[in-house]
Amino acid sequence: MSVKNLPPNQTPDEPLAKFICKCDGSLSYLENGLSFLGGLTIFLLTVLGGVQVISRFFFNQPIHGYIDLVEQAMVMFAFLGLAHCQRTDGHIRMEMVLERVKGRLLWIIESLTILLSNALFFMLILGTYQHFLRAWNNGDTTINIGLAVWPSKLLIPLMFGLLFFRLLIQFFGYVRLAVNPTKSPLAVPVILSVEEKAELAHQETKESE
């Protein structure tokens, strides 16, 4: 089911809400920039792939190290947008149970889910950082043109770390709602009903006209 980040109806006046809004806003700039960089990487790889095909077909001269470049670039567009995807709820999840739960129970379940996710990503950060250290200490390189692989391996724990902080912000957002379900959602995705989705689609259509 589609979800949407809903802004508060008014400027938050509680300390926790102000803290959440400040952290969410600051992190959003970084997430947007990294997501743009990931998209730009895909575009450049598309151009490079076209040049590779033309060079091989017409001149029988493939780009030397093309496979190495693609391997390293794949890490960028696969991981740079992780936190942005989490913030905008662009990932896919099963909500057959959650869409039937309302009020405080829903926010408690969401809080626990985020907490478990953060525990998982904390372990992934430690594990992927160890992979980076091994590549750094051993001087690992790609096969064809000898590119150092440690930058791409370092990028993974860094992006997991950014996702960790995004999940932490969402955790506080869900805890705030669990304490008082009448408050407006802040920095968390909320499940929309069919009517709300239809109204949202209608508003977006009007804005695009």
Side-chain angles (χ1 to χ4, degrees), residues 67-164:
I67 299 298
D68 294 29
L69 294 172
V70 172
E71 287 176 348
Q72 299 304 297
M74 285 176 62
V75 179
M76 295 183 65
F77 67 74
F79 290 92
L80 285 177
L82 278 180
H84 179 272
C85 185
Q86 176 66 28
R87 188 188 86 222
T88 59
D89 206 62
H91 61 288
I92 299 174
R93 66 175 188 171
M94 299 299 294
E95 295 172 340
M96 292 184 295
V97 175
L98 290 179
E99 66 183 7
R100 291 171 172 77
V101 181
K102 303 295 182 182
R104 179 174 282 112
L105 179 59
L106 172 62
W107 305 127
I108 292 175
I109 294 175
E110 293 279 22
S111 300
L112 294 175
T113 302
I114 292 293
L115 193 61
L116 291 174
S117 299
N118 244 3
L120 172 63
F121 277 104
F122 180 76
M123 291 186 289
L124 288 174
I125 291 170
L126 296 179
T128 53
Y129 184 73
Q130 291 299 319
H131 283 294
F132 153 71
L133 285 180
R134 280 194 292 270
W136 172 271
N137 294 327
N138 297 334
D140 292 347
T141 60
T142 58
I143 295 176
N144 291 330
I145 58 176
L147 289 176
V149 301
W150 68 261
S152 59
K153 291 195 173 184
L154 176 60
L155 183 66
I156 298 174
L158 289 178
M159 292 304 99
F160 280 165
L162 182 62
L163 179 59
F164 179 89

Side-chain angles (χ1 to χ4, degrees), residues 35-51 66 70 73-74 76-78 80:
S35 182
F36 173 80
L37 184 58
L40 181 62
T41 303
I42 296 176
F43 171 74
L44 293 177
L45 276 180
T46 303
V47 174
L48 183 63
V51 174
Y66 173 75
V70 172
M74 285 176 62
M76 295 183 65
F77 67 74
L80 285 177

